[in-house]
């Protein structure tokens, strides 16, 4: 009989996955290419919201959003607000999303990241010129590639040891 992972093990895995996501977004990429990298912490937050039906993860959304504000030097609370709004949408759809294939999920998350960009335009006020605006607008399209990798990696790590 398979036993589910203990709560403390899941807590450390969740915390480690958020930390890795923050490190990925903190990597120094060349200027226009860094705008293509989506907030990986938000995608990891989506994964855990879909995976754990007994938790809402709003506290994590606020804390990760505040860390992204500090990381990017933006208005304190801007990312926290955006992450919370997007998490609310995912929570409303999570039972349907759990049944979808990761590629279908990535299409929805691409749309949510475009909403993130639209709301972020008013809240975060990014300074973009004509050359970098196209990279900033193309960022949600990279979620089509990144989400299946995040989903498969975290799904592999949360499987019981005997199923590997």
């Amino acid at each position: 009989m398979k036993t589910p992972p203990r709560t403390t093990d899941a807590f450390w895995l969740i915390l480690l996955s958020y930390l890795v996501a923050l490190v990925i977004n903190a990597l120094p990429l060349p200027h226009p290419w860094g705008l293509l990298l989506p907030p990986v912490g938000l995608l990891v937050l989506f994964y855990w919201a879909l995976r754990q039906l007994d938790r809402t993860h709003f506290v994590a959304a606020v804390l990760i959003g505040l860390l992204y504000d500090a990381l990017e030097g933006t208005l304190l609370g801007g990312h926290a607000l955006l992450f919370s709004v997007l998490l609310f949408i995912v929570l409303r759809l999570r039972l349907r999303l759990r049944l979808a294939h990761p590629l279908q999920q990535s299409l929805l998350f691409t749309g949510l990241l475009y909403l993130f960009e639209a709301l972020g335009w008013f809240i975060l006020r990014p300074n973009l010129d004509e050359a970098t605006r196209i990279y900033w607008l193309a960022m949600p399209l990279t979620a089509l590639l990144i989400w299946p990798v995040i989903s498969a990696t975290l799904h592999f790590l949360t499987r019981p040891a005997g199923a590997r």
Side-chain angles (χ1 to χ4, degrees):
M1 180 174 191
K2 297 178 186 175
T3 59
R6 295 181 310 208
T7 307
T8 55
D9 293 342
F11 172 77
W12 289 111
L13 181 61
I14 291 170
L15 193 62
L16 182 65
S17 65
Y18 287 142
L19 182 65
V20 168
L22 284 168
V23 167
I24 289 172
N25 278 118
L27 290 175
L29 297 174
H31 175 57
W33 298 107
L35 293 173
L36 284 175
L37 188 64
V40 180
L42 181 63
L43 295 175
V44 171
L45 180 68
F46 289 165
Y47 176 83
W48 291 116
L50 293 177
R51 177 88 177 169
Q52 296 181 327
L53 296 177
D54 60 334
R55 293 185 175 92
T56 59
H57 297 277
F58 275 111
V59 173
V62 170
L63 292 176
I64 291 170
L66 290 174
L67 288 172
Y68 270 88
D69 288 330
L71 183 69
E72 295 183 10
T74 57
L75 178 67
L76 191 62
H79 281 93
L81 175 66
L82 291 173
F83 286 9
S84 298
V85 167
L86 295 176
L87 179 63
F88 176 76
I89 295 170
V90 168
L91 290 176
R92 296 295 296 165
L93 300 172
R94 75 174 160 184
L95 292 178
R96 292 185 197 115
L97 278 172
R98 284 176 57 98
L99 299 174
H101 190 271
L103 294 176
Q104 294 169 330
Q105 292 172 350
S106 67
L107 286 173
L108 176 77
F109 293 152
T110 299
L112 286 176
L113 286 175
Y114 272 115
L115 180 63
F116 172 79
E117 294 284 294
L119 293 174
W121 184 263
F122 296 107
I123 295 173
L124 303 174
R125 301 277 184 192
N127 293 329
L128 302 171
D129 56 1
E130 292 297 324
T132 58
R133 187 172 295 141
I134 191 71
Y135 292 99
W136 186 74
L137 290 173
M139 179 273 292
L141 295 176
T142 58
L144 289 171
L145 302 172
I146 293 176
W147 171 253
V149 173
I150 290 172
S151 177
T153 303
L154 290 176
H155 183 68
F156 176 77
L157 291 174
T158 56
R159 288 187 348 203
R164 292 184 190 162

